[in-house]
């Protein structure tokens, strides 16, 4: 972000999308380092959005929830995935494509005014009672 923002400042235009996680907002045992790093990234996003706004640079973060990837499948296994799905109001994990579409919008010319936001893509997980 620091390196690319130098070029964006010269061009008076840019879009930066940082990737955080639902665990930057919510936490549970054994997540101290991960939650700290993701919460810090969200804070950095908000500060950068203020610092870079005068250059027409929009800075946001996306916080995916449970997403069906090979890594998720290998860590959680089918039982863990079923458990996660039971905690998600939509009843399923996100596809990587669903996360990518949000990132694409935020980084495109279609986004002309959203800045300093953390967009949570989690099927309602953070709003559910877990």
């Amino acid at each position: 972000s620091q390196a690319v923002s130098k070029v964006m400042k010269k061009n008076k235009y840019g879009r930066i999308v940082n990737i955080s996680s639902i665990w930057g907002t919510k936490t549970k045992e054994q997540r101290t380092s991960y939650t700290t790093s993701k919460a810090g990234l969200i804070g950095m996003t908000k500060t950068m959005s203020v610092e870079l706004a005068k250059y027409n640079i929009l800075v946001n973060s996306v916080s995916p929830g449970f997403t069906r990837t090979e890594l998720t499948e290998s860590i959680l296994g089918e039982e863990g995935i079923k458990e996660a799905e039971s905690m998600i109001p939509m009843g399923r994990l996100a596809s990587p494509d669903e996360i990518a579409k949000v990132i694409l919008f935020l980084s495109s010319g279609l986004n002309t005014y959203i800045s300093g936001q953390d967009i949570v893509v989690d099927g309602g997980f953070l709003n559910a009672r877990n």
Side-chain angles (χ1 to χ4, degrees):
S1 293
Q2 189 177 42
V4 76
S5 67
K6 290 178 184 177
V7 175
M8 292 177 174
K9 285 178 183 179
K10 288 179 187 174
N11 294 332
K12 299 274 192 221
Y13 180 87
R15 304 291 183 266
I16 296 172
V17 181
N18 295 311
I19 308 302
S20 187
S21 167
I22 56 171
W23 302 113
T25 301
K26 183 180 177 89
T27 194
K28 64 181 189 176
E29 289 183 11
Q30 305 299 313
R31 299 252 182 201
T32 301
S33 296
Y34 191 75
T35 294
T36 300
S37 67
K38 295 304 183 176
L41 184 60
I42 293 168
M44 183 185 80
T45 296
K46 292 176 182 296
T47 302
M48 287 177 62
S49 74
V50 172
E51 293 174 347
L52 298 174
K54 62 187 167 201
Y55 301 102
N56 192 33
I57 300 170
L58 306 180
V59 185
N60 293 288
S61 59
V62 172
S63 288
F66 292 97
T67 305
R68 190 173 278 276
T69 64
E70 288 180 22
L71 180 62
T72 301
E73 290 172 353
S74 70
I75 292 172
L76 296 181
E78 274 308 309
E79 286 303 311
I81 288 174
K82 286 179 186 175
E83 182 182 341
E85 289 174 335
S86 73
M87 296 184 295
I88 300 168
M90 290 192 70
R92 65 178 178 81
L93 276 61
S95 71
D97 187 57
E98 290 173 308
I99 307 303
K101 287 176 184 176
V102 176
I103 297 165
L104 178 62
F105 168 75
L106 290 171
S107 59
S108 77
L110 293 172
N111 177 21
T112 58
Y113 206 64
I114 299 171
S115 194
Q117 301 304 305
D118 178 49
I119 310 298
V120 177
V121 186
D122 71 349
F125 175 78
L126 288 182
N127 296 320
R129 289 194 135 143
N130 297 319

